[in-house]
Amino acid sequence: MKIVITGGAGFIGSHLTDRLLSEGHHVCVLDNLVTGNYENIEHQKGHPKFEFIHHNVSNHIHLPGEIDWVIHFASPASPIDYLQLSIETLKVNSLGTHNTLGVARAKNAKYFLASTSEVYGDPLVHPQPETYWGNVNPIGPRGVYDESKRFAEALTMAYHHKHGLDSRIVRIFNCYGPRLRFNDGRVVSNFIGQALTNKPLTIYGDGNQTRSFQYVDDLVDGIRRLMDCDHHEPMNIGNPHEFTVGELAKLVIEMTGSKSEIVYKSLPVDDPKRRLPDIGKAKSLLSWSPKVDLKSGLEKTIAWYKQQLAGTTLNSVG
Ligand code: UDP
């Protein structure tokens, strides 16, 4: 198949690119590298079925030839990124979604949208099933991401209903693994980076807020299964094992053997108190459930960060 992946140089997009190339597909990555990193896909350079196009998909997209899939993963996705790139985030999830849907329609291709557990906002229902409509502050700092992803879902469903587009929507819950940037600002990358450089681990709030962390290989497997499933409504992919942020900090300190202390900082505005996926739908329709527990996933991730640190100056990690 000929597959176009926007955001294919990002953390998740690059792992998906690797997986699809390993299956023998032709993969064309579109990325403007605003939060993505060419190093994530550089190892594929020269692969006869790999192509990279430096492009901002919020602008018109022109791609010659036939395409079987358009997979839209381009968007800043970390709170610090989408706060700084607020308008770019709104644009890539609205204009970028519209442009990529247009390409899929023109090429008679299938379409895959990366959505997020953030569409549930600060949820009042636990765990969160796909049928939950969420609790989102549209004008809060996270609104630029949450609302634009909600719009992207609405637009994708409209193309499905109006134009018969063969579409998929995945709602991705917190994901970690190799290639999550050191300065990405997310909790797993922050804690590992801080622990490995013996800097204090920064817990925002009291550390009792929860997340359920999935290892990137599990997510890519879920995405791959969803591509092959004729299901058009959103599907949660996440790990239902819930941890507090405080527990994660202790685990990272223990696993790295770090001398770091823990410091407490103020909780960002609208930071969700609890997040936990209901994965009943993925289990029954995709026969999917996560395989990698937090400790095993962290081991692989810590090993990767150590490797990265070996090639960089310790002080550049914050
Ligand atoms: N967090 C933290 N310390 C950090 C970074 C994040 O305590 O250095 C908290 C953050 O406030 C949130 C949780 O960890 O409650 C997960 O944050 P992340 O940015 O990874 O993802 P989110 O699920 O909030 O999008």
Side-chain angles (χ1 to χ4, degrees), residues 109-121:
K110 294 181 183 179
Y111 186 81
F112 195 108
L113 175 70
S115 185
T116 166
S117 56
E118 282 283 329
V119 299
Y120 301 122

Side-chain angles (χ1 to χ4, degrees), residues 79 82 118 142 174 185-187 190-191 194 202-204 209 211 245 267-268 271-272 275:
Y82 56 70
E118 282 283 329
R142 300 173 86 102
N174 292 65
R186 274 180 279 199
V187 67
N190 273 8
F191 284 179
Q194 290 160 345
T202 51
I203 290 186
Y204 302 160
Q209 71 271 36
R211 295 292 186 274
V245 166
L267 192 67
D271 195 275
R275 190 182 285 143

Side-chain angles (χ1 to χ4, degrees), residues 188-244:
V188 175
S189 44
N190 273 8
F191 284 179
I192 296 178
Q194 290 160 345
L196 290 179
T197 52
N198 291 313
K199 290 181 180 162
L201 270 67
T202 51
I203 290 186
Y204 302 160
D206 60 10
N208 287 325
Q209 71 271 36
T210 74
R211 295 292 186 274
S212 38
F213 303 98
Q214 64 179 326
Y215 188 65
V216 65
D217 290 357
D218 280 332
L219 170 64
V220 168
D221 190 48
I223 289 168
R224 193 61 196 86
R225 284 170 192 245
L226 182 54
M227 285 174 74
D228 288 340
C229 175
D230 199 22
H231 185 79
H232 308 290
E233 293 190 353
M235 184 161 324
N236 290 340
I237 296 287
N239 190 318
H241 200 144
E242 192 178 15
F243 290 85
T244 68

Side-chain angles (χ1 to χ4, degrees), residues 1-304:
M1 293 192 290
K2 166 95 190 253
I3 301 172
V4 170
I5 306 186
T6 78
F11 163 50
I12 298 170
S14 65
H15 284 281
L16 186 57
T17 296
D18 287 344
R19 166 76 183 257
L20 294 168
L21 282 170
S22 77
E23 289 178 17
H25 303 298
H26 185 121
V27 178
C28 173
V29 166
L30 297 188
D31 204 305
N32 66 349
L33 303 178
V34 64
T35 56
N37 183 355
Y38 185 71
E39 280 176 21
N40 289 339
I41 46 168
E42 203 169 14
H43 58 282
Q44 301 291 5
K45 200 177 160 190
H47 189 298
K49 291 185 177 172
F50 173 71
E51 221 181 314
F52 174 74
I53 300 174
H54 190 283
H55 183 66
N56 180 351
V57 297
S58 299
N59 300 324
H60 181 77
I61 303 166
H62 174 72
L63 292 170
E66 288 184 8
I67 295 169
D68 299 296
W69 273 99
V70 176
I71 299 183
H72 184 33
F73 270 64
S75 174
S78 159
I80 57 163
D81 286 337
Y82 56 70
L83 292 186
Q84 202 194 347
L85 301 165
S86 50
I87 295 174
E88 290 88 340
T89 303
L90 284 157
K91 283 172 80 174
V92 75
N93 289 314
S94 53
L95 305 177
T97 302
H98 190 217
N99 289 336
T100 51
L101 282 164
V103 172
R105 188 173 170 226
K107 305 284 182 182
N108 208 12
K110 294 181 183 179
Y111 186 81
F112 195 108
L113 175 70
S115 185
T116 166
S117 56
E118 282 283 329
V119 299
Y120 301 122
D122 188 1
L124 305 175
V125 169
H126 307 286
Q128 293 87 53
E130 289 86 350
T131 47
Y132 178 50
W133 292 351
N135 177 39
V136 173
N137 175 2
I139 56 161
R142 300 173 86 102
V144 296
Y145 187 60
D146 302 8
E147 284 299 346
S148 65
K149 283 291 187 186
R150 289 164 71 97
F151 174 82
E153 287 195 6
L155 193 58
T156 301
M157 288 310 292
Y159 266 67
H160 171 68
H161 291 304
K162 280 270 174 191
H163 298 309
L165 184 83
D166 193 353
S167 55
R168 315 280 187 273
I169 300 174
V170 63
R171 289 184 180 155
I172 300 172
F173 283 68
N174 292 65
C175 181
Y176 69 97
R179 302 184 193 159
L180 189 59
R181 292 183 349 251
F182 266 121
N183 56 354
D184 173 273
R186 274 180 279 199
V187 67
V188 175
S189 44
N190 273 8
F191 284 179
I192 296 178
Q194 290 160 345
L196 290 179
T197 52
N198 291 313
K199 290 181 180 162
L201 270 67
T202 51
I203 290 186
Y204 302 160
D206 60 10
N208 287 325
Q209 71 271 36
T210 74
R211 295 292 186 274
S212 38
F213 303 98
Q214 64 179 326
Y215 188 65
V216 65
D217 290 357
D218 280 332
L219 170 64
V220 168
D221 190 48
I223 289 168
R224 193 61 196 86
R225 284 170 192 245
L226 182 54
M227 285 174 74
D228 288 340
C229 175
D230 199 22
H231 185 79
H232 308 290
E233 293 190 353
M235 184 161 324
N236 290 340
I237 296 287
N239 190 318
H241 200 144
E242 192 178 15
F243 290 85
T244 68
V245 166
E247 284 168 340
L248 177 72
K250 285 197 193 110
L251 187 60
V252 169
I253 289 177
E254 183 192 305
M255 290 182 65
T256 51
S258 172
K259 298 187 189 68
S260 294
E261 292 170 351
I262 288 176
V263 295
Y264 292 86
K265 299 209 165 182
S266 55
L267 192 67
V269 177
D270 294 337
D271 195 275
K273 287 177 272 308
R274 213 179 150 195
R275 190 182 285 143
L276 178 65
D278 179 331
I279 58 163
K281 199 158 144 176
K283 274 185 174 164
S284 65
L285 294 182
L286 308 180
S287 303
W288 175 89
S289 57
K291 301 276 177 289
V292 184
D293 62 36
L294 186 59
K295 215 164 172 190
S296 321
L298 283 177
E299 259 164 30
K300 296 183 202 190
T301 311
I302 290 168
W304 182 81

